[in-house]
Amino acid sequence: MSPRPLPDAAARRRFRRALLAWYGANGRDLPWRRTSDPYHILVSEVMLQQTQVDRVLPKYHEWLEKYPSLGALASAPESDVDRTWRPLGYNIRPRRLHAIAREAVERYGGRLPSDEATLLSFKGIGAYTAGAIRSFAFGQRAAILDTNVARVLFRVFVGRGDARAHATRKHLWAVSEALVPRKRVFDFNQALMDLGAMVCVARTPRCLVCPMKNLCRTYGRHARARRAGAGGVRRSRRRRVRVVVAAVIEKGDRFLLTRRQPGVHLAGLWEFPGGKIHSGESHGAALARELREELGVNADVGELVYETTHSYPDLAVALHFYRCRLLGRPRPLLGQEMRWVRRAELRSLGFPPADTELIDRLSGID
Ligand code: SF4
């Protein structure tokens, strides 16, 4: 049962109408919006999972030129597929695509099925990707919920509470399902994603130009918070924000984790190695220093893979996660527990709340 009421029929109609009108005037023209080929949709969705649109665009074209069908991808050697994927990060993604292609060839004649249960039976296709394929490729009335869409729906229809809580996430899926129209499903879901990417952005939502401003439960709240931050309390609030950098270090199918020691904030929880940046330090320099101090190893600090902010009762943390490659063997120099943890085990460990979404992404739960 949904913990909160769903939007009523009038609210659903207003939301759809406002969203589609806005999309008609402002939607982005992207190559995967000019196709209904399920394979092309799948490729774009997997590429977009952790990478910005402008970096995906050239790779999307290159990939489809090289592997124009699921059959072509299935018969390519894994090393070739890995190479083609670079420099996009998260190397598990090309392997997932490759495995999906092989399964589609072996079991479904080289085509992606259109029904939800069969799509979800593929390793690497979660609820979001299944919804995207069903709505974008097959025109089915299927909902989607990724980070951007969840943020929009939370702000418009919920407004208060922990947006990351499991119950809230479940409720937002129900909201998305209630909202998705019978017609123009493709446009509606694309519009939701664009609104989250272009207007209702994480840090500074553009409420004044938002088509939802008359409906939204949090309209103006962000602007008020910013104005309050610009006044006399600004300095004391700023002092309480801790900027932290952390390393996502992957070897095979395992990630290097350390455990927070007794007596510190969030003691006993697992985390990606890293720490606070010092005044004047760049993120890369801070992370390289932390890895030397904590693990006695030099590292190449690579691309930013995820960033988030989280408020604890006693402090707010801005976290920036970078992909890193170690240039030696790590040793836990501070007496902390250290482990290489399999991807499939990640969700069984305790992590700080701020890491939850990254753990879901790395676990392949979209
Ligand atoms: S009014 Fe502001 S908070 Fe609400 S959906 Fe629009 S941009 Fe997001």
Side-chain angles (χ1 to χ4, degrees):
M1 195 173 71
S2 192
R4 303 178 179 94
L6 294 172
D8 63 22
R12 294 200 297 270
R13 268 197 306 276
R14 286 172 70 202
F15 184 91
R16 289 172 188 145
R17 210 177 296 138
L19 184 66
L20 287 168
W22 173 84
Y23 181 67
N26 300 284
R28 293 175 292 182
D29 179 24
L30 298 168
W32 44 89
R33 292 184 177 171
R34 289 180 234 127
T35 179
S36 58
D37 184 315
Y39 168 58
H40 293 199
I41 304 283
L42 172 73
V43 170
S44 68
E45 289 302 330
V46 173
M47 286 186 174
L48 287 164
Q49 272 168 17
Q50 277 116 12
T51 308
Q52 303 280 349
V53 166
D54 55 344
R55 292 188 60 221
V56 165
L57 282 167
K59 188 56 72 179
Y60 172 79
H61 292 298
E62 181 192 338
W63 185 274
L64 291 180
E65 246 170 57
K66 194 151 186 196
Y67 314 118
S69 64
L70 284 161
L73 177 58
S75 55
E78 189 170 276
S79 56
D80 187 61
V81 171
D82 279 355
R83 220 175 9 255
T84 308
W85 185 264
R86 284 180 213 143
L88 301 185
Y90 280 106
N91 291 336
I92 190 71
R93 290 186 291 168
R95 295 196 194 139
R96 267 193 213 145
L97 268 176
H98 200 204
I100 291 168
R102 289 190 163 167
E103 192 172 342
V105 167
E106 275 164 28
R107 293 174 53 198
Y108 303 102
R111 283 199 291 271
L112 280 176
S114 61
D115 72 285
E116 184 180 21
T118 315
L119 283 169
L120 289 173
S121 73
F122 281 77
K123 193 158 183 262
I125 296 187
Y128 167 77
T129 308
I133 292 170
R134 289 174 62 215
S135 58
F136 299 147
F138 298 109
Q140 294 176 18
R141 189 173 176 233
I144 55 166
L145 193 81
D146 67 356
T147 308
N148 284 347
V149 174
R151 185 172 57 248
V152 171
L153 299 184
F154 179 82
R155 286 173 173 171
V156 174
F157 292 107
V158 180
R160 292 192 188 282
D162 181 0
R164 293 187 177 95
H166 179 70
T168 308
R169 192 90 183 167
K170 215 169 139 195
H171 175 67
L172 294 176
W173 264 111
V175 172
S176 188
E177 278 158 11
L179 289 171
V180 69
R182 291 184 196 288
K183 295 180 185 163
R184 297 192 65 191
V185 178
F186 184 107
D187 286 347
F188 180 84
N189 280 347
Q190 296 285 3
L192 264 181
M193 295 198 295
D194 271 5
L195 191 69
M198 298 161 68
V199 177
C200 192
V201 293
R203 289 206 184 134
T204 49
R206 301 168 60 211
C207 296
L208 289 177
V209 296
C210 180
M212 299 305 158
K213 61 185 173 191
N214 295 326
L215 283 172
C216 180
R217 291 189 179 207
T218 57
Y219 169 69
R221 203 185 287 168
H222 308 275
R224 281 198 295 278
R226 276 200 303 283
R227 278 200 299 277
V233 293
R234 181 179 183 172
R235 289 178 58 198
S236 63
R237 283 188 179 173
R238 278 195 170 173
R239 267 203 299 274
R240 292 168 54 211
V241 176
R242 177 180 293 174
V243 180
V244 171
V245 284
V248 177
I249 303 162
E250 195 174 351
K251 188 170 75 178
D253 196 37
R254 293 170 191 260
F255 294 90
L256 186 67
L257 301 177
T258 53
R259 197 168 198 179
R260 295 181 69 80
Q261 301 206 63
V264 303
H265 185 241
L266 304 170
L269 297 181
W270 290 89
E271 64 181 0
F272 296 91
K276 278 186 289 184
I277 68 169
H278 293 169
S279 171
E281 243 182 346
S282 68
H283 286 193
L287 192 47
R289 173 185 53 72
E290 286 285 342
L291 293 174
R292 275 195 305 276
E293 289 173 3
E294 278 186 32
L295 302 175
V297 67
N298 288 320
D300 280 341
V301 178
E303 63 172 346
L304 178 71
V305 292
Y306 180 69
E307 55 188 348
T308 186
T309 54
H310 192 83
S311 292
Y312 295 101
D314 45 348
L315 83 162
V317 182
L319 274 150
H320 308 269
F321 295 86
Y322 289 85
R323 177 172 298 285
C324 291
R325 189 171 66 88
L326 298 184
L327 304 175
R329 198 186 170 92
R331 289 164 294 133
L333 298 182
L334 308 177
Q336 74 276 41
E337 205 177 328
M338 180 187 95
R339 275 177 59 190
W340 287 97
V341 176
R342 282 186 190 285
R343 183 182 303 278
E345 282 174 48
L346 285 173
R347 297 185 91 225
S348 65
L349 300 178
F351 285 89
D355 293 8
T356 309
E357 191 173 314
L358 176 63
I359 295 301
D360 283 351
R361 289 184 182 196
L362 294 175
S363 304
I365 312 289
D366 61 7

